[in-house]
Amino acid sequence: GQGVDEPLSATGFRQADAAGLFLSNVKFTHVFSSDLLRAKQTAATILGKNKFCKDLEIKYDARLRERKYGVAEGRPLTDLKAMAKAAGEQCPSFTPSGGETLDEVRERARDFFEFLCRLAVELEQKEQDMHGAPSRSSGTSEEQLVFPWTNHCSEAELSSSNGGASKILDANILVVSHGAYMRNWIGYFVSDLNCTLPTNLTKSQLSSVSPNTGVSHFIIKLENGNLLKPEITCVCLNQDSHL
């Protein structure tokens, strides 16, 4: 939850190191993190391993915090399940006293995602204002699209999703958040925005919480800067081969 702001454990730092090595060749343009300590430390560790953006500023955002669990915070998961059972409900839909509902978490996720979309559109407009036409002189596509997914999706999926190998991204954003929050965010992508999913993804995988430092990769297209109809493709979900 939010109320117990503990640092990463030794295991957590090892997992963050592994994620950083896994993503070390990815050239990020922006990094956003929850403002809770465990997420901050994870984001800093990942960037510390990166070949291109060690000095990129990490921006902390309270909208990326874990779900608030009220009276259940700081207690074992078994306690939360017992509270839900006593109330005649089941996790994760059960909301403990003082906690956030799933709808409230999803609203935070929606608000943050719309902010990211506006950011990407503003970047593209700035490029056009500066150069008169979209320019991608900051590097080759190989530099900016080096994702370590070769074992987890087909090359065709990637090339069709990002418009071909010649496409340079306006924004390539790393977001570091928390398990229950991200499950809700992904649920918003799928149910509200019709996100295209990998063909081999099962329903149980879609509804499960990401392992610590699990990596999910989404490609977002905003045709002609249209913020109302983002086209979202999930390349991989809760990937943990680096662990």
Side-chain angles (χ1 to χ4, degrees):
Q2 300 181 6
V4 183
D5 197 13
E6 288 286 317
L8 289 178
S9 65
T11 299
F13 276 112
R14 284 196 298 272
Q15 291 169 330
D17 275 339
L21 286 170
F22 185 61
L23 297 170
S24 61
N25 288 315
V26 182
K27 191 172 185 180
F28 296 109
T29 58
H30 302 77
V31 180
F32 292 94
S33 168
S34 156
D35 61 352
L36 297 177
L37 182 57
R38 57 195 184 272
K40 285 181 172 182
Q41 291 175 326
T42 301
T45 303
I46 290 172
L47 273 199
K49 300 283 184 187
N50 196 279
K51 293 177 182 176
F52 298 107
C53 38
K54 278 184 171 65
D55 299 324
L56 199 59
E57 180 189 1
I58 302 172
K59 296 187 177 176
Y60 304 112
D61 198 306
R63 288 173 293 186
L64 292 172
R65 286 181 182 178
E66 181 59 292
R67 183 184 179 188
K68 187 178 180 181
Y69 283 94
V71 295
E73 293 199 346
R75 295 167 67 173
L77 181 59
T78 50
D79 285 9
L80 177 64
K81 288 180 176 177
M83 289 179 198
K85 188 175 181 180
E89 296 183 48
Q90 287 186 320
C91 297
S93 56
F94 169 68
T95 304
S97 176
E100 279 183 297
T101 67
L102 293 181
D103 284 345
E104 287 170 333
V105 179
R106 184 169 292 202
E107 182 59 25
R108 276 201 284 131
R110 183 193 64 77
D111 189 56
F112 182 75
F113 178 64
E114 289 179 356
F115 156 74
L116 289 186
C117 289
R118 288 193 300 273
L119 173 72
V121 169
E122 285 166 10
L123 281 172
E124 186 173 25
Q125 288 170 344
K126 279 180 185 173
E127 283 282 343
Q128 290 178 4
D129 291 345
M130 285 171 62
H131 301 285
S135 169
R136 297 293 178 269
S137 57
S138 56
T140 67
S141 58
E142 287 76 16
E143 279 183 334
Q144 292 198 18
L145 292 177
V146 181
F147 293 107
W149 309 136
T150 48
N151 299 327
H152 308 282
C153 66
S154 68
E155 292 296 324
E157 265 186 299
L158 270 179
S159 62
S160 64
S161 298
N162 65 28
S166 62
K167 172 72 173 171
I168 303 294
L169 302 178
D170 293 304
N172 192 14
I173 302 169
L174 173 66
V175 177
V176 181
S177 185
H178 308 268
Y181 176 89
M182 290 189 293
R183 176 168 61 185
N184 266 23
W185 190 357
I186 292 162
Y188 161 66
F189 276 1
V190 173
S191 63
D192 292 30
L193 300 180
N194 299 313
C195 173
T196 302
L197 297 169
T199 52
N200 60 350
L201 196 69
T202 65
K203 278 192 174 180
S204 63
Q205 287 174 307
L206 186 59
S207 61
S208 65
V209 171
S210 173
N212 288 337
T213 70
V215 179
S216 297
H217 178 196
F218 295 90
I219 294 171
I220 319 293
K221 279 192 202 171
L222 298 164
E223 291 294 340
N224 301 316
N226 186 349
L227 293 167
L228 297 177
K229 289 188 178 179
E231 184 184 316
I232 306 175
T233 302
C234 176
V235 177
C236 64
L237 192 70
N238 300 337
Q239 154 70 293
D240 65 351
S241 66
H242 54 285
L243 296 178

